[in-house]
PDB file of all heavy atoms in Angstrom:
ATOM      1  N   ALA A 160       3.276   4.740 -21.112  1.00 86.00           N
ATOM      2  CA  ALA A 160       3.010   4.949 -22.536  1.00 86.00           C
ATOM      3  C   ALA A 160       1.659   4.360 -22.935  1.00 86.00           C
ATOM      4  O   ALA A 160       0.967   4.893 -23.805  1.00 86.00           O
ATOM      5  CB  ALA A 160       4.126   4.330 -23.369  1.00 86.00           C
ATOM      6  N   GLU A 161       1.264   3.269 -22.283  1.00 89.00           N
ATOM      7  CA  GLU A 161      -0.003   2.624 -22.616  1.00 89.00           C
ATOM      8  C   GLU A 161      -1.185   3.276 -21.908  1.00 89.00           C
ATOM      9  O   GLU A 161      -2.254   3.434 -22.494  1.00 89.00           O
ATOM     10  CB  GLU A 161       0.063   1.141 -22.242  1.00 89.00           C
ATOM     11  CG  GLU A 161       1.049   0.328 -23.065  1.00 89.00           C
ATOM     12  CD  GLU A 161       1.062  -1.136 -22.648  1.00 89.00           C
ATOM     13  OE1 GLU A 161       0.262  -1.504 -21.760  1.00 89.00           O
ATOM     14  OE2 GLU A 161       1.868  -1.904 -23.218  1.00 89.00           O
ATOM     15  N   THR A 162      -1.004   3.658 -20.644  1.00 89.00           N
ATOM     16  CA  THR A 162      -2.127   4.160 -19.847  1.00 89.00           C
ATOM     17  C   THR A 162      -2.280   5.669 -19.903  1.00 89.00           C
ATOM     18  O   THR A 162      -3.374   6.193 -19.659  1.00 89.00           O
ATOM     19  CB  THR A 162      -1.954   3.761 -18.371  1.00 89.00           C
ATOM     20  OG1 THR A 162      -0.768   4.375 -17.845  1.00 89.00           O
ATOM     21  CG2 THR A 162      -1.826   2.244 -18.249  1.00 89.00           C
ATOM     22  N   GLY A 163      -1.192   6.383 -20.206  1.00 89.00           N
ATOM     23  CA  GLY A 163      -1.263   7.837 -20.176  1.00 89.00           C
ATOM     24  C   GLY A 163      -1.380   8.382 -18.761  1.00 89.00           C
ATOM     25  O   GLY A 163      -1.890   9.489 -18.568  1.00 89.00           O
ATOM     26  N   ARG A 164      -0.886   7.622 -17.792  1.00 93.00           N
ATOM     27  CA  ARG A 164      -0.956   8.057 -16.395  1.00 93.00           C
ATOM     28  C   ARG A 164       0.428   7.976 -15.766  1.00 93.00           C
ATOM     29  O   ARG A 164       1.191   7.042 -16.048  1.00 93.00           O
ATOM     30  CB  ARG A 164      -1.921   7.173 -15.598  1.00 93.00           C
ATOM     31  CG  ARG A 164      -3.373   7.328 -15.975  1.00 93.00           C
ATOM     32  CD  ARG A 164      -4.270   6.565 -15.010  1.00 93.00           C
ATOM     33  NE  ARG A 164      -4.070   5.135 -15.114  1.00 93.00           N
ATOM     34  CZ  ARG A 164      -4.773   4.325 -15.918  1.00 93.00           C
ATOM     35  NH1 ARG A 164      -5.729   4.829 -16.671  1.00 93.00           N
ATOM     36  NH2 ARG A 164      -4.521   3.034 -15.944  1.00 93.00           N
ATOM     37  N   PRO A 165       0.760   8.922 -14.886  1.00 94.00           N
ATOM     38  CA  PRO A 165       2.059   8.877 -14.203  1.00 94.00           C
ATOM     39  C   PRO A 165       2.051   7.839 -13.088  1.00 94.00           C
ATOM     40  O   PRO A 165       1.002   7.333 -12.689  1.00 94.00           O
ATOM     41  CB  PRO A 165       2.198  10.287 -13.634  1.00 94.00           C
ATOM     42  CG  PRO A 165       0.785  10.728 -13.395  1.00 94.00           C
ATOM     43  CD  PRO A 165      -0.041  10.103 -14.494  1.00 94.00           C
ATOM     44  N   HIS A 166       3.231   7.524 -12.576  1.00 95.00           N
ATOM     45  CA  HIS A 166       3.355   6.645 -11.418  1.00 95.00           C
ATOM     46  C   HIS A 166       3.176   7.485 -10.159  1.00 95.00           C
ATOM     47  O   HIS A 166       3.953   8.411  -9.909  1.00 95.00           O
ATOM     48  CB  HIS A 166       4.722   5.957 -11.406  1.00 95.00           C
ATOM     49  CG  HIS A 166       4.943   5.060 -12.576  1.00 95.00           C
ATOM     50  ND1 HIS A 166       6.190   4.635 -12.970  1.00 95.00           N
ATOM     51  CD2 HIS A 166       4.071   4.484 -13.442  1.00 95.00           C
ATOM     52  CE1 HIS A 166       6.081   3.841 -14.025  1.00 95.00           C
ATOM     53  NE2 HIS A 166       4.801   3.748 -14.330  1.00 95.00           N
ATOM     54  N   LEU A 167       2.178   7.152  -9.346  1.00 96.00           N
ATOM     55  CA  LEU A 167       1.860   7.949  -8.171  1.00 96.00           C
ATOM     56  C   LEU A 167       1.729   7.063  -6.940  1.00 96.00           C
ATOM     57  O   LEU A 167       1.292   5.915  -7.030  1.00 96.00           O
ATOM     58  CB  LEU A 167       0.551   8.721  -8.384  1.00 96.00           C
ATOM     59  CG  LEU A 167       0.571   9.736  -9.534  1.00 96.00           C
ATOM     60  CD1 LEU A 167      -0.827  10.281  -9.782  1.00 96.00           C
ATOM     61  CD2 LEU A 167       1.543  10.873  -9.233  1.00 96.00           C
ATOM     62  N   ILE A 168       2.098   7.606  -5.789  1.00 97.00           N
ATOM     63  CA  ILE A 168       2.021   6.870  -4.530  1.00 97.00           C
ATOM     64  C   ILE A 168       0.568   6.755  -4.094  1.00 97.00           C
ATOM     65  O   ILE A 168      -0.155   7.750  -4.040  1.00 97.00           O
ATOM     66  CB  ILE A 168       2.857   7.567  -3.441  1.00 97.00           C
ATOM     67  CG1 ILE A 168       4.340   7.556  -3.820  1.00 97.00           C
ATOM     68  CG2 ILE A 168       2.661   6.896  -2.083  1.00 97.00           C
ATOM     69  CD1 ILE A 168       5.229   8.339  -2.878  1.00 97.00           C
ATOM     70  N   THR A 169       0.134   5.542  -3.800  1.00 97.00           N
ATOM     71  CA  THR A 169      -1.255   5.292  -3.402  1.00 97.00           C
ATOM     72  C   THR A 169      -1.413   5.026  -1.910  1.00 97.00           C
ATOM     73  O   THR A 169      -2.516   5.162  -1.374  1.00 97.00           O
ATOM     74  CB  THR A 169      -1.819   4.087  -4.174  1.00 97.00           C
ATOM     75  OG1 THR A 169      -0.954   2.950  -3.957  1.00 97.00           O
ATOM     76  CG2 THR A 169      -1.901   4.386  -5.656  1.00 97.00           C
ATOM     77  N   ASP A 170      -0.329   4.630  -1.246  1.00 97.00           N
ATOM     78  CA  ASP A 170      -0.449   4.338   0.181  1.00 97.00           C
ATOM     79  C   ASP A 170       0.916   4.452   0.835  1.00 97.00           C
ATOM     80  O   ASP A 170       1.950   4.151   0.215  1.00 97.00           O
ATOM     81  CB  ASP A 170      -1.007   2.934   0.416  1.00 97.00           C
ATOM     82  CG  ASP A 170      -1.268   2.654   1.884  1.00 97.00           C
ATOM     83  OD1 ASP A 170      -2.178   3.286   2.443  1.00 97.00           O
ATOM     84  OD2 ASP A 170      -0.560   1.820   2.469  1.00 97.00           O
ATOM     85  N   VAL A 171       0.910   4.881   2.084  1.00 97.00           N
ATOM     86  CA  VAL A 171       2.132   4.927   2.886  1.00 97.00           C
ATOM     87  C   VAL A 171       1.791   4.406   4.266  1.00 97.00           C
ATOM     88  O   VAL A 171       0.803   4.803   4.872  1.00 97.00           O
ATOM     89  CB  VAL A 171       2.711   6.356   2.949  1.00 97.00           C
ATOM     90  CG1 VAL A 171       1.692   7.352   3.468  1.00 97.00           C
ATOM     91  CG2 VAL A 171       3.970   6.388   3.796  1.00 97.00           C
ATOM     92  N   LEU A 172       2.580   3.457   4.730  1.00 97.00           N
ATOM     93  CA  LEU A 172       2.356   2.819   6.026  1.00 97.00           C
ATOM     94  C   LEU A 172       3.639   2.897   6.840  1.00 97.00           C
ATOM     95  O   LEU A 172       4.717   2.596   6.339  1.00 97.00           O
ATOM     96  CB  LEU A 172       1.940   1.362   5.836  1.00 97.00           C
ATOM     97  CG  LEU A 172       1.689   0.537   7.103  1.00 97.00           C
ATOM     98  CD1 LEU A 172       0.500   1.093   7.875  1.00 97.00           C
ATOM     99  CD2 LEU A 172       1.451  -0.925   6.757  1.00 97.00           C
ATOM    100  N   THR A 173       3.510   3.309   8.100  1.00 97.00           N
ATOM    101  CA  THR A 173       4.661   3.443   8.987  1.00 97.00           C
ATOM    102  C   THR A 173       4.542   2.451  10.135  1.00 97.00           C
ATOM    103  O   THR A 173       3.483   2.337  10.751  1.00 97.00           O
ATOM    104  CB  THR A 173       4.749   4.867   9.557  1.00 97.00           C
ATOM    105  OG1 THR A 173       4.664   5.811   8.488  1.00 97.00           O
ATOM    106  CG2 THR A 173       6.056   5.068  10.304  1.00 97.00           C
ATOM    107  N   THR A 174       5.607   1.731  10.401  1.00 97.00           N
ATOM    108  CA  THR A 174       5.644   0.781  11.519  1.00 97.00           C
ATOM    109  C   THR A 174       6.918   1.023  12.315  1.00 97.00           C
ATOM    110  O   THR A 174       7.801   1.763  11.883  1.00 97.00           O
ATOM    111  CB  THR A 174       5.638  -0.672  11.018  1.00 97.00           C
ATOM    112  OG1 THR A 174       6.885  -0.949  10.344  1.00 97.00           O
ATOM    113  CG2 THR A 174       4.477  -0.929  10.060  1.00 97.00           C
ATOM    114  N   ASP A 175       7.019   0.383  13.480  1.00 95.00           N
ATOM    115  CA  ASP A 175       8.298   0.458  14.176  1.00 95.00           C
ATOM    116  C   ASP A 175       9.308  -0.431  13.457  1.00 95.00           C
ATOM    117  O   ASP A 175       8.957  -1.229  12.589  1.00 95.00           O
ATOM    118  CB  ASP A 175       8.147   0.081  15.656  1.00 95.00           C
ATOM    119  CG  ASP A 175       7.900  -1.402  15.884  1.00 95.00           C
ATOM    120  OD1 ASP A 175       8.787  -2.204  15.554  1.00 95.00           O
ATOM    121  OD2 ASP A 175       6.831  -1.754  16.414  1.00 95.00           O
ATOM    122  N   ALA A 176      10.568  -0.281  13.798  1.00 95.00           N
ATOM    123  CA  ALA A 176      11.650  -0.905  13.031  1.00 95.00           C
ATOM    124  C   ALA A 176      11.669  -2.418  13.115  1.00 95.00           C
ATOM    125  O   ALA A 176      12.323  -3.071  12.302  1.00 95.00           O
ATOM    126  CB  ALA A 176      12.998  -0.352  13.498  1.00 95.00           C
ATOM    127  N   THR A 177      10.963  -3.018  14.073  1.00 95.00           N
ATOM    128  CA  THR A 177      11.047  -4.465  14.258  1.00 95.00           C
ATOM    129  C   THR A 177      10.005  -5.235  13.456  1.00 95.00           C
ATOM    130  O   THR A 177      10.067  -6.456  13.384  1.00 95.00           O
ATOM    131  CB  THR A 177      10.872  -4.825  15.741  1.00 95.00           C
ATOM    132  OG1 THR A 177       9.538  -4.481  16.162  1.00 95.00           O
ATOM    133  CG2 THR A 177      11.878  -4.100  16.602  1.00 95.00           C
ATOM    134  N   VAL A 178       9.029  -4.555  12.865  1.00 94.00           N
ATOM    135  CA  VAL A 178       7.927  -5.241  12.184  1.00 94.00           C
ATOM    136  C   VAL A 178       8.415  -5.821  10.862  1.00 94.00           C
ATOM    137  O   VAL A 178       8.976  -5.104  10.013  1.00 94.00           O
ATOM    138  CB  VAL A 178       6.750  -4.286  11.949  1.00 94.00           C
ATOM    139  CG1 VAL A 178       5.640  -4.977  11.153  1.00 94.00           C
ATOM    140  CG2 VAL A 178       6.202  -3.791  13.286  1.00 94.00           C
ATOM    141  N   ASN A 179       8.170  -7.109  10.667  1.00 91.00           N
ATOM    142  CA  ASN A 179       8.573  -7.784   9.438  1.00 91.00           C
ATOM    143  C   ASN A 179       7.713  -7.330   8.269  1.00 91.00           C
ATOM    144  O   ASN A 179       6.512  -7.106   8.413  1.00 91.00           O
ATOM    145  CB  ASN A 179       8.445  -9.300   9.618  1.00 91.00           C
ATOM    146  CG  ASN A 179       9.061 -10.066   8.473  1.00 91.00           C
ATOM    147  OD1 ASN A 179       8.441 -10.239   7.431  1.00 91.00           O
ATOM    148  ND2 ASN A 179      10.279 -10.541   8.654  1.00 91.00           N
ATOM    149  N   ASP A 180       8.331  -7.206   7.091  1.00 91.00           N
ATOM    150  CA  ASP A 180       7.602  -6.729   5.908  1.00 91.00           C
ATOM    151  C   ASP A 180       6.395  -7.598   5.581  1.00 91.00           C
ATOM    152  O   ASP A 180       5.339  -7.101   5.196  1.00 91.00           O
ATOM    153  CB  ASP A 180       8.535  -6.680   4.699  1.00 91.00           C
ATOM    154  CG  ASP A 180       9.567  -5.574   4.803  1.00 91.00           C
ATOM    155  OD1 ASP A 180       9.432  -4.726   5.708  1.00 91.00           O
ATOM    156  OD2 ASP A 180      10.517  -5.557   3.993  1.00 91.00           O
ATOM    157  N   ALA A 181       6.547  -8.921   5.719  1.00 89.00           N
ATOM    158  CA  ALA A 181       5.459  -9.833   5.342  1.00 89.00           C
ATOM    159  C   ALA A 181       4.213  -9.614   6.197  1.00 89.00           C
ATOM    160  O   ALA A 181       3.098  -9.890   5.754  1.00 89.00           O
ATOM    161  CB  ALA A 181       5.929 -11.276   5.459  1.00 89.00           C
ATOM    162  N   VAL A 182       4.387  -9.090   7.405  1.00 90.00           N
ATOM    163  CA  VAL A 182       3.254  -8.910   8.309  1.00 90.00           C
ATOM    164  C   VAL A 182       2.319  -7.819   7.819  1.00 90.00           C
ATOM    165  O   VAL A 182       1.113  -7.864   8.081  1.00 90.00           O
ATOM    166  CB  VAL A 182       3.773  -8.584   9.737  1.00 90.00           C
ATOM    167  CG1 VAL A 182       2.637  -8.252  10.677  1.00 90.00           C
ATOM    168  CG2 VAL A 182       4.583  -9.758  10.272  1.00 90.00           C
ATOM    169  N   VAL A 183       2.844  -6.824   7.104  1.00 94.00           N
ATOM    170  CA  VAL A 183       2.048  -5.637   6.784  1.00 94.00           C
ATOM    171  C   VAL A 183       1.364  -5.714   5.423  1.00 94.00           C
ATOM    172  O   VAL A 183       0.545  -4.842   5.104  1.00 94.00           O
ATOM    173  CB  VAL A 183       2.921  -4.374   6.834  1.00 94.00           C
ATOM    174  CG1 VAL A 183       3.592  -4.229   8.178  1.00 94.00           C
ATOM    175  CG2 VAL A 183       3.960  -4.369   5.725  1.00 94.00           C
ATOM    176  N   LEU A 184       1.666  -6.712   4.603  1.00 93.00           N
ATOM    177  CA  LEU A 184       1.121  -6.724   3.249  1.00 93.00           C
ATOM    178  C   LEU A 184      -0.404  -6.808   3.250  1.00 93.00           C
ATOM    179  O   LEU A 184      -1.073  -6.105   2.480  1.00 93.00           O
ATOM    180  CB  LEU A 184       1.707  -7.888   2.449  1.00 93.00           C
ATOM    181  CG  LEU A 184       1.426  -7.831   0.932  1.00 93.00           C
ATOM    182  CD1 LEU A 184       1.970  -6.552   0.332  1.00 93.00           C
ATOM    183  CD2 LEU A 184       2.022  -9.040   0.223  1.00 93.00           C
ATOM    184  N   ASP A 185      -0.969  -7.635   4.122  1.00 93.00           N
ATOM    185  CA  ASP A 185      -2.428  -7.717   4.189  1.00 93.00           C
ATOM    186  C   ASP A 185      -3.021  -6.391   4.653  1.00 93.00           C
ATOM    187  O   ASP A 185      -4.079  -5.961   4.172  1.00 93.00           O
ATOM    188  CB  ASP A 185      -2.843  -8.843   5.137  1.00 93.00           C
ATOM    189  CG  ASP A 185      -4.346  -9.080   5.123  1.00 93.00           C
ATOM    190  OD1 ASP A 185      -4.884  -9.384   4.041  1.00 93.00           O
ATOM    191  OD2 ASP A 185      -4.985  -8.942   6.184  1.00 93.00           O
ATOM    192  N   GLN A 186      -2.349  -5.715   5.565  1.00 94.00           N
ATOM    193  CA  GLN A 186      -2.811  -4.405   6.027  1.00 94.00           C
ATOM    194  C   GLN A 186      -2.777  -3.385   4.890  1.00 94.00           C
ATOM    195  O   GLN A 186      -3.695  -2.563   4.750  1.00 94.00           O
ATOM    196  CB  GLN A 186      -1.940  -3.923   7.186  1.00 94.00           C
ATOM    197  CG  GLN A 186      -2.417  -2.637   7.835  1.00 94.00           C
ATOM    198  CD  GLN A 186      -1.552  -2.217   9.005  1.00 94.00           C
ATOM    199  OE1 GLN A 186      -0.657  -2.948   9.431  1.00 94.00           O
ATOM    200  NE2 GLN A 186      -1.808  -1.035   9.531  1.00 94.00           N
ATOM    201  N   ILE A 187      -1.742  -3.433   4.071  1.00 96.00           N
ATOM    202  CA  ILE A 187      -1.656  -2.534   2.917  1.00 96.00           C
ATOM    203  C   ILE A 187      -2.815  -2.790   1.959  1.00 96.00           C
ATOM    204  O   ILE A 187      -3.443  -1.854   1.444  1.00 96.00           O
ATOM    205  CB  ILE A 187      -0.309  -2.700   2.209  1.00 96.00           C
ATOM    206  CG1 ILE A 187       0.828  -2.174   3.099  1.00 96.00           C
ATOM    207  CG2 ILE A 187      -0.293  -1.980   0.868  1.00 96.00           C
ATOM    208  CD1 ILE A 187       2.217  -2.455   2.570  1.00 96.00           C
ATOM    209  N   HIS A 188      -3.129  -4.053   1.733  1.00 95.00           N
ATOM    210  CA  HIS A 188      -4.254  -4.379   0.845  1.00 95.00           C
ATOM    211  C   HIS A 188      -5.572  -3.876   1.415  1.00 95.00           C
ATOM    212  O   HIS A 188      -6.428  -3.380   0.674  1.00 95.00           O
ATOM    213  CB  HIS A 188      -4.314  -5.896   0.619  1.00 95.00           C
ATOM    214  CG  HIS A 188      -3.233  -6.399  -0.283  1.00 95.00           C
ATOM    215  ND1 HIS A 188      -2.838  -7.716  -0.308  1.00 95.00           N
ATOM    216  CD2 HIS A 188      -2.441  -5.757  -1.178  1.00 95.00           C
ATOM    217  CE1 HIS A 188      -1.875  -7.870  -1.190  1.00 95.00           C
ATOM    218  NE2 HIS A 188      -1.611  -6.699  -1.729  1.00 95.00           N
ATOM    219  N   ASN A 189      -5.748  -3.992   2.714  1.00 95.00           N
ATOM    220  CA  ASN A 189      -6.974  -3.474   3.328  1.00 95.00           C
ATOM    221  C   ASN A 189      -7.074  -1.962   3.170  1.00 95.00           C
ATOM    222  O   ASN A 189      -8.158  -1.419   2.917  1.00 95.00           O
ATOM    223  CB  ASN A 189      -7.024  -3.854   4.810  1.00 95.00           C
ATOM    224  CG  ASN A 189      -7.285  -5.328   5.024  1.00 95.00           C
ATOM    225  OD1 ASN A 189      -7.935  -5.988   4.210  1.00 95.00           O
ATOM    226  ND2 ASN A 189      -6.785  -5.877   6.128  1.00 95.00           N
ATOM    227  N   ARG A 190      -5.974  -1.274   3.329  1.00 96.00           N
ATOM    228  CA  ARG A 190      -5.973   0.184   3.188  1.00 96.00           C
ATOM    229  C   ARG A 190      -6.266   0.580   1.739  1.00 96.00           C
ATOM    230  O   ARG A 190      -7.025   1.533   1.487  1.00 96.00           O
ATOM    231  CB  ARG A 190      -4.620   0.740   3.637  1.00 96.00           C
ATOM    232  CG  ARG A 190      -4.382   0.621   5.141  1.00 96.00           C
ATOM    233  CD  ARG A 190      -2.909   0.800   5.495  1.00 96.00           C
ATOM    234  NE  ARG A 190      -2.391   2.083   5.084  1.00 96.00           N
ATOM    235  CZ  ARG A 190      -2.454   3.197   5.815  1.00 96.00           C
ATOM    236  NH1 ARG A 190      -3.010   3.154   7.007  1.00 96.00           N
ATOM    237  NH2 ARG A 190      -1.942   4.329   5.377  1.00 96.00           N
ATOM    238  N   LEU A 191      -5.669  -0.130   0.788  1.00 96.00           N
ATOM    239  CA  LEU A 191      -5.941   0.161  -0.624  1.00 96.00           C
ATOM    240  C   LEU A 191      -7.387  -0.163  -0.992  1.00 96.00           C
ATOM    241  O   LEU A 191      -8.013   0.538  -1.797  1.00 96.00           O
ATOM    242  CB  LEU A 191      -4.976  -0.620  -1.509  1.00 96.00           C
ATOM    243  CG  LEU A 191      -3.510  -0.169  -1.467  1.00 96.00           C
ATOM    244  CD1 LEU A 191      -2.631  -1.141  -2.228  1.00 96.00           C
ATOM    245  CD2 LEU A 191      -3.362   1.240  -2.035  1.00 96.00           C
ATOM    246  N   ARG A 192      -7.930  -1.215  -0.400  1.00 95.00           N
ATOM    247  CA  ARG A 192      -9.333  -1.559  -0.645  1.00 95.00           C
ATOM    248  C   ARG A 192     -10.252  -0.437  -0.173  1.00 95.00           C
ATOM    249  O   ARG A 192     -11.228  -0.087  -0.861  1.00 95.00           O
ATOM    250  CB  ARG A 192      -9.671  -2.855   0.069  1.00 95.00           C
ATOM    251  CG  ARG A 192     -11.128  -3.325  -0.099  1.00 95.00           C
ATOM    252  CD  ARG A 192     -11.492  -4.318   0.971  1.00 95.00           C
ATOM    253  NE  ARG A 192     -11.336  -3.727   2.294  1.00 95.00           N
ATOM    254  CZ  ARG A 192     -11.167  -4.431   3.406  1.00 95.00           C
ATOM    255  NH1 ARG A 192     -11.113  -5.748   3.374  1.00 95.00           N
ATOM    256  NH2 ARG A 192     -11.029  -3.812   4.573  1.00 95.00           N
ATOM    257  N   ASP A 193      -9.964   0.133   0.984  1.00 94.00           N
ATOM    258  CA  ASP A 193     -10.792   1.217   1.511  1.00 94.00           C
ATOM    259  C   ASP A 193     -10.757   2.448   0.617  1.00 94.00           C
ATOM    260  O   ASP A 193     -11.686   3.266   0.641  1.00 94.00           O
ATOM    261  CB  ASP A 193     -10.326   1.598   2.926  1.00 94.00           C
ATOM    262  CG  ASP A 193     -10.552   0.474   3.932  1.00 94.00           C
ATOM    263  OD1 ASP A 193     -11.382  -0.422   3.633  1.00 94.00           O
ATOM    264  OD2 ASP A 193      -9.897   0.483   4.999  1.00 94.00           O
ATOM    265  N   LYS A 194      -9.703   2.591  -0.181  1.00 94.00           N
ATOM    266  CA  LYS A 194      -9.594   3.724  -1.099  1.00 94.00           C
ATOM    267  C   LYS A 194     -10.076   3.375  -2.505  1.00 94.00           C
ATOM    268  O   LYS A 194      -9.984   4.204  -3.411  1.00 94.00           O
ATOM    269  CB  LYS A 194      -8.135   4.186  -1.194  1.00 94.00           C
ATOM    270  CG  LYS A 194      -7.508   4.584   0.126  1.00 94.00           C
ATOM    271  CD  LYS A 194      -6.015   4.857  -0.058  1.00 94.00           C
ATOM    272  CE  LYS A 194      -5.326   5.081   1.271  1.00 94.00           C
ATOM    273  NZ  LYS A 194      -3.874   5.309   1.130  1.00 94.00           N
ATOM    274  N   ASP A 195     -10.563   2.129  -2.690  1.00 94.00           N
ATOM    275  CA  ASP A 195     -10.943   1.634  -4.017  1.00 94.00           C
ATOM    276  C   ASP A 195      -9.759   1.678  -4.980  1.00 94.00           C
ATOM    277  O   ASP A 195      -9.910   1.971  -6.172  1.00 94.00           O
ATOM    278  CB  ASP A 195     -12.114   2.440  -4.596  1.00 94.00           C
ATOM    279  CG  ASP A 195     -13.402   2.216  -3.830  1.00 94.00           C
ATOM    280  OD1 ASP A 195     -13.615   1.080  -3.350  1.00 94.00           O
ATOM    281  OD2 ASP A 195     -14.199   3.162  -3.700  1.00 94.00           O
TER     282      ASP A 195
END
């Protein structure tokens, strides 16, 4: 209501089933940084 923009997916990351969630957060930030 404030921004006038829909909620949209900005990144998707796939790992094998054993990878802990905390390990990938920095990688997600790097990927989002590359997309500005």
Side-chain angles (χ1 to χ4, degrees):
E161 293 180 3
T162 63
R164 291 188 294 268
H166 297 162
L167 298 172
I168 296 174
T169 56
D170 186 68
V171 56
L172 179 65
T173 309
T174 68
D175 72 64
T177 65
V178 176
N179 190 278
D180 289 349
V182 174
V183 304
L184 192 58
D185 187 59
Q186 186 178 353
I187 292 172
H188 287 160
N189 288 331
R190 291 164 59 87
L191 290 172
R192 180 199 59 202
D193 294 341
K194 302 173 187 178
D195 292 325

